[in-house]
Amino acid sequence: MKQKSVFVCQNCGYQSPKWLGQCPSCGQWNTMVETTLSSPSPSSRKKVSPAKAVTLKEINTSGREKRVSTGWEEMDRVLGGGMVKGQAVLFAGEPGIGKSTLLTQLSLNLVKNNHSVVYLCGEESPQQVSLRIRRLSPSFSSVSGLFLLPEVDVDAVLAFLENQSPPPSLVVIDSVQTITTQDLTGVAGSVGQVRECSHRLISWAKKAQVPIFLIGHITKEGNIAGPKVLEHAVDTVIYFEGERRQDLRLLRAVKNRFGATDEVGIFKMTQKGLVPLKESFLGGELDKPRVGSALTVVNEGSRMILVEIQALVTQTFTPLPRRIITGLERNRTEMLLAVCQKQLRLPLFKYDVFVNVAGGLKINEPAADLAVCAAVISSYKNKPLPLKSCFVGEVSLLGEIFPVGQMEKRKKIAQKRGILQFFTGKNLKKLLLPLF
Ligand code: TYD
Ligand code: MG
């Protein structure tokens, strides 16, 4: 059957044989997406057999979904306990953040356990990938279970996969923006190509019961150019994020049919590739008094992390003092600065304030409020906070301190890292001012 393509408006369903900027039917712009059209002859339509439904009793649940470990606890947890057969994962992140590095390492982890992996190299040549492997893991440069596939035609890839017997344990597509099918005229990376090619790969993965990772680049603004259209088609969407200049990398599931979405996996980019971060501390030296530094314990997924908040308060030379905030919510931090100004009587309107979270972590729970205030006052007074102390609590507009959840767990983590004093209380002024 000859496949033809049409451009379909994603808003109203209008079809056109050519690409149009504006849909003539509904008037929307940039909604025409190329789609394959297989026109079955009327006779073949008649042969359709009725669909079958099953009752719950008929479904075999005795051997609950078996999970394959990725070789890293950090990643298994984000997936919900490992990879599930036939699971389609969209692995999204900014260019250069380390997606290829992480997934080559994951492939090596599987190969080490006698699995076979097919890695589609659409962006780099097999030579480049093999150079990386040699550098990451010299002993694995001659392994046989890893198949590097330098092919971007999705139908050729599917033909290769169908010939593999037994099928591989994992397929990695690096990346969805490079694969194409000749059934469509669009260029690689266009919405139509990304969607059609990925759908074909995902349906193969479901049929063959093989987990598949689809790498997708996202832009700085956070929208996955193209791959966004895949979010509903895959089982799991994982974002790989971090500041490129810093070495901390976070794995975050934003959708997961096979697990929770509040887990994070933490990795560090090193000379030897990505290393799971086991220790629960991010920050500078704990043994030296440091002005403008306050420690706190924040909750990330099911983990607690002791993290350093740094503040710098300096005299301003502009009519509008600067507020440079990294790793914390901007509005919340500005609110805390206003509370410091009013309750602690810090004339911050005359000062530029810089607040930063060590290691590149992004904090989005109010438990760090108290530490932000403590770091700011420490920098303003140019005096360090007590050595080996930690500040946990939510600060209200009125300068009250509210306790946050899981205090015991937070204290335990802090004690483990040698913290001697754990500050929390009821009133910001009464707690912080006596320290200076
Ligand atoms: P890469 O995996 O190619 O990024 P992506 O596939 O997301 O575009 O990672 C590229 C960056 O990672 C590159 O700037 C160098 C850095 N890197 C390391 O720091 N250590 C390593 O061992 C490797 C392989 C890469
Ligand atoms: Mg890459």
Side-chain angles (χ1 to χ4, degrees), residues 408-422:
E408 284 313 307
K409 211 168 156 192
R410 291 179 208 259
K411 277 186 190 155
K412 220 187 248 164
I413 288 291
Q415 274 161 5
K416 232 188 193 165
R417 292 290 319 192
I419 297 299
L420 306 173
Q421 269 176 303
F422 197 88

Side-chain angles (χ1 to χ4, degrees), residues 49-69:
S49 50
K52 278 201 191 97
V54 286
T55 61
L56 289 179
K57 232 194 302 180
E58 286 168 285
I59 300 171
N60 180 11
T61 50
S62 56
R64 279 185 47 203
E65 74 221 24
K66 241 182 107 205
R67 305 263 185 171
V68 178
S69 169

Side-chain angles (χ1 to χ4, degrees), residues 87-154:
Q87 178 173 19
V89 182
L90 174 60
F91 195 78
E94 281 172 39
I97 204 77
K99 300 180 296 297
S100 305
T101 309
L102 189 81
L103 291 187
T104 1
Q105 285 182 268
L106 181 131
S107 305
L108 291 177
N109 287 352
L110 289 193
V111 170
K112 228 183 283 182
N113 288 324
N114 299 324
H115 289 289
S116 70
V117 178
V118 172
Y119 192 101
L120 181 136
C121 322
E123 306 223 324
E124 296 160 291
S125 66
Q127 284 73 21
Q128 283 171 302
V129 177
S130 106
L131 270 177
R132 180 162 63 222
I133 290 173
R134 251 169 254 262
R135 214 158 56 73
L136 291 173
S137 182
S139 57
F140 276 93
S141 48
S142 57
V143 285
S144 54
L146 181 60
F147 299 93
L148 301 175
L149 193 59
E151 178 62 70
V152 289
D153 184 319
V154 74

Side-chain angles (χ1 to χ4, degrees), residues 64-82:
R64 279 185 47 203
E65 74 221 24
K66 241 182 107 205
R67 305 263 185 171
V68 178
S69 169
T70 60
W72 289 305
E73 221 277 300
E74 284 303 296
M75 185 146 187
D76 285 349
R77 219 181 44 236
V78 174
L79 287 165

